[in-house]
C-alpha cells in the first residue's frame, strides 16, 4: 500500500482533500514555466520560439508553441543543400497548384480539367498572372489542379519551387502529402499564397510549413496600408516602406512563430480587426508575409492576394505592382534563384 493511500485512510475524507491540495502545490512549485521567446532561431524538434513582442499587441492569451518535430526557423542550418539536378540545370522551374476542397476564390476562375497545363481562360487571373510573371522574370511555369500530378516525389523533384495558390480545406491525398514532404526535405522551395493558409488543417506538418499558422477568419474586404518591415529580403527590398492595398486581412490562429516577418498591415488603417467568426484581430502587429527554413526546405508565405485585380494585367488597384514584386521575389527566393529569408 502506498504512503498516500495509508495516509488517506488514516486522515479520512477531509484529510484526503488537504493532502491532495498539498501534493498539487508541491507539483506546481516544481514546474518551470519558460516565457515564449522571439522568433527567428533554428530549432530541431521545436517551433523556434513565439511571436516577437510588441508594445501595441495585446493578446487575450498566447498559444502554446507547437512542436512540429523538424528543424525550422531562420537559420540556414535547417536547409538541406543537396546537389540535385534541378539546382544545376540552368533552368528555374515552378509548379503552380490551385486545387481547392470547398471554397474557391474568384481569382482562380472555374475548376480546371485534369492533367498538367490544362487550357486557361481569362477568368483564371491568378494562374495567368504567374505564367506572365514567369515570362517576364525568366522562370518556367507549369500549373495543375490534378492531385495525381503530385502523387510521387519524382514528379515534384524537377521543380525549384512549388506554389500553392489559394487552396482550401483538404485537397491533398496520402500520396501527394508524402511527395510534398519528401520534396521539401530535399531542399525544395514552397510558396503559399492567400487561402492556402486555410488548407489541410488536420495535417500538423503542413501547418508548420505555413509558419505554425492557419487562417481563422477575416473582416470585410477593405483598403489598408501594408508596412514593409524587413527590406533586406529579395521579396521586399524593392518595395516602398508603406504601400496601399486592398484585401481581407486574414486573422491567424495560431499566430506565426519562428519565422521572419517581412510585411504586415498597419492595423490603424483597416479599422476593427474582428472577424466573421469572432477573432479579435491582431491590433498593433498583424503580419501578412513571412519566411522560414522548414524541415530541409525553404518556405515563403503570404496571406495577401484576395482581390482579382491584384492579379490582373495593367491593374489599376493601388499596390498591385508592389504585390507582384513581392510575390515574384518570394517565388524566386524560395526557388534559390535569389537570396532567401534575409
Amino acid at each position: 500500500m502506498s504512503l498516500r493511500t495509508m495516509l488517506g485512510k488514516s486522515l479520512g475524507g477531509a484529510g484526503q482533500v488537504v493532502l491532495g491540495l498539498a501534493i498539487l502545490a508541491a507539483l506546481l512549485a516544481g514546474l518551470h514555466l519558460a516565457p515564449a521567446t522571439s522568433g527567428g532561431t533554428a530549432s530541431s524538434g521545436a517551433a523556434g520560439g513565439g511571436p516577437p513582442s510588441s508594445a501595441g499587441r495585446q493578446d487575450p492569451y498566447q498559444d502554446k508553441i507547437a512542436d512540429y518535430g523538424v528543424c525550422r526557423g531562420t537559420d540556414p542550418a535547417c536547409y538541406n543543400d543537396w546537389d540535385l539536378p534541378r539546382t544545376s540545370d540552368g533552368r528555374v522551374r515552378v509548379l503552380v497548384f490551385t486545387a481547392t476542397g470547398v471554397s474557391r476564390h474568384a481569382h482562380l476562375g472555374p475548376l480546371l480539367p485534369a492533367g498538367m497545363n490544362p487550357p486557361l481562360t481569362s477568368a483564371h487571373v491568378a494562374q495567368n498572372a504567374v505564367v506572365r510573371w514567369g515570362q517576364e522574370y525568366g522562370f518556367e511555369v507549369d500549373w495543375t489542379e490534378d492531385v495525381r500530378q503530385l502523387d510521387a516525389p519524382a514528379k515534384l523533384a524537377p521543380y525549384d519551387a512549388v506554389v500553392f495558390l489559394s487552396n482550401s480545406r483538404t485537397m491533398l491525398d496520402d500520396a501527394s502529402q508524402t511527395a510534398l514532404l519528401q520534396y521539401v526535405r530535399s531542399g525544395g522551395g514552397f510558396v503559399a499564397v492567400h487561402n492556402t493558409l486555410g488548407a489541410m488543417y488536420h495535417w500538423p506538418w503542413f501547418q508548420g510549413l505555413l509558419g505554425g499558422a492557419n487562417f481563422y477568419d477575416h473582416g470585410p474586404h477593405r483598403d489598408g496600408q501594408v508596412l514593409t518591415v524587413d527590406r533586406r529580403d529579395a521579396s521586399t527590398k524593392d518595395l516602398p516602406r508603406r504601400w496601399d492595398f486592398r484585401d481581407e486581412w486574414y486573422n491567424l490562429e495560431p499566430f506565426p512563430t519562428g519565422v521572419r516577418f517581412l510585411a504586415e498591415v498597419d492595423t490603424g488603417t483597416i479599422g476593427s480587426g474582428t472577424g466573421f467568426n469572432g477573432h479579435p484581430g491582431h491590433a498593433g502587429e498583424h503580419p501578412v508575409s513571412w519566411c522560414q527554413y522548414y524541415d530541409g526546405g525553404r518556405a515563403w508565405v503570404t496571406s495577401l492576394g484576395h482581390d482579382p485585380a491584384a492579379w490582373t494585367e495593367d491593374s489599376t488597384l493601388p499596390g498591385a505592382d508592389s504585390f507582384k514584386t513581392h510575390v515574384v521575389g518570394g517565388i524566386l527566393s524560395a526557388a534559390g534563384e535569389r537570396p532567401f529569408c534575409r
Side-chain angles (χ1 to χ4, degrees):
M1 182 180 296
S2 69
L3 176 61
R4 177 177 177 177
T5 302
M6 290 189 293
L7 286 173
K9 286 181 174 293
S10 62
L11 290 173
Q16 291 183 48
V17 172
V18 174
L19 177 62
L21 291 173
I23 293 172
L24 177 61
L27 289 172
L28 290 174
L31 292 177
H32 174 65
L33 300 177
T37 58
S38 295
T41 57
S43 64
S44 181
S53 60
S54 171
R57 181 167 180 249
Q58 299 294 326
D59 282 345
Y61 66 93
Q62 202 169 63
D63 296 315
K64 178 183 177 181
I65 306 304
D67 182 353
Y68 299 99
V70 305
C71 185
R72 65 175 290 237
T74 58
D75 189 334
C78 288
Y79 180 69
N80 286 333
D81 191 12
W82 296 350
D83 185 17
L84 297 174
R86 66 168 177 259
T87 63
S88 57
D89 62 4
R91 307 165 64 187
V92 179
R93 299 185 62 192
V94 171
L95 175 65
V96 178
F97 183 62
T98 53
T100 50
V102 180
S103 60
R104 187 172 178 88
H105 276 64
H107 57 245
L108 295 182
L111 293 172
L112 289 173
M116 187 68 74
N117 298 340
L120 298 174
T121 71
S122 59
H124 298 101
V125 291
Q127 298 94 326
N128 282 320
V130 182
V131 173
R132 186 172 64 250
W133 298 345
Q135 293 169 346
E136 181 177 351
Y137 287 88
F139 57 92
E140 302 172 27
V141 179
D142 291 324
W143 61 92
T144 190
E145 293 183 0
D146 186 351
V147 72
R148 293 171 298 180
Q149 303 301 318
L150 285 70
D151 65 5
K155 293 183 178 180
L156 294 180
Y159 293 103
D160 299 279
V162 293
V163 179
F164 276 46
L165 204 169
S166 282
N167 316 103
S168 62
R169 300 299 179 92
T170 302
M171 72 293 173
L172 297 177
D173 58 15
D174 182 71
S176 56
Q177 290 181 50
T178 300
L180 178 63
L181 186 149
Q182 295 288 63
Y183 170 75
V184 169
R185 286 181 174 173
S186 73
F190 174 82
V191 173
V193 180
H194 198 52
N195 202 48
T196 300
L197 282 156
M200 303 300 293
Y201 284 95
H202 65 287
W203 188 17
W205 183 90
F206 192 81
Q207 179 178 284
L209 182 63
L210 295 173
N214 276 134
F215 163 75
Y216 189 83
D217 64 12
H218 58 74
H221 183 213
R222 60 203 188 277
D223 294 332
Q225 288 190 329
V226 178
L227 302 176
T228 307
V229 297
D230 184 333
R231 301 190 73 195
R232 298 175 300 166
D233 191 71
S235 68
T236 55
K237 67 182 183 65
D238 295 323
L239 297 180
R241 293 191 180 275
R242 180 182 289 269
W243 40 289
D244 295 328
F245 202 55
R246 184 184 305 143
D247 219 293
E248 295 175 315
W249 314 113
Y250 279 4
N251 294 321
L252 306 167
E253 186 61 41
F255 195 83
T257 59
V259 301
R260 173 165 288 123
F261 292 147
L262 302 172
E264 61 185 42
V265 60
D266 180 349
T267 56
T269 67
I270 61 173
S272 171
T274 302
F276 60 80
N277 277 330
H279 194 292
H282 304 292
E285 187 179 28
H286 190 146
V288 296
S289 302
W290 54 90
C291 58
Q292 65 165 340
Y293 293 97
Y294 187 82
D295 201 12
R298 308 181 186 97
W300 188 93
V301 180
T302 185
S303 64
L304 300 177
H306 173 74
D307 199 313
W311 304 93
T312 304
E313 190 172 14
D314 300 323
S315 174
T316 59
L317 176 72
D321 286 341
S322 292
F323 173 72
K324 168 188 171 181
T325 298
H326 191 40
V327 174
V328 168
I331 292 172
L332 290 175
S333 63
E337 185 68 6
R338 294 182 180 177
F340 180 74
C341 212
R342 292 292 180 87

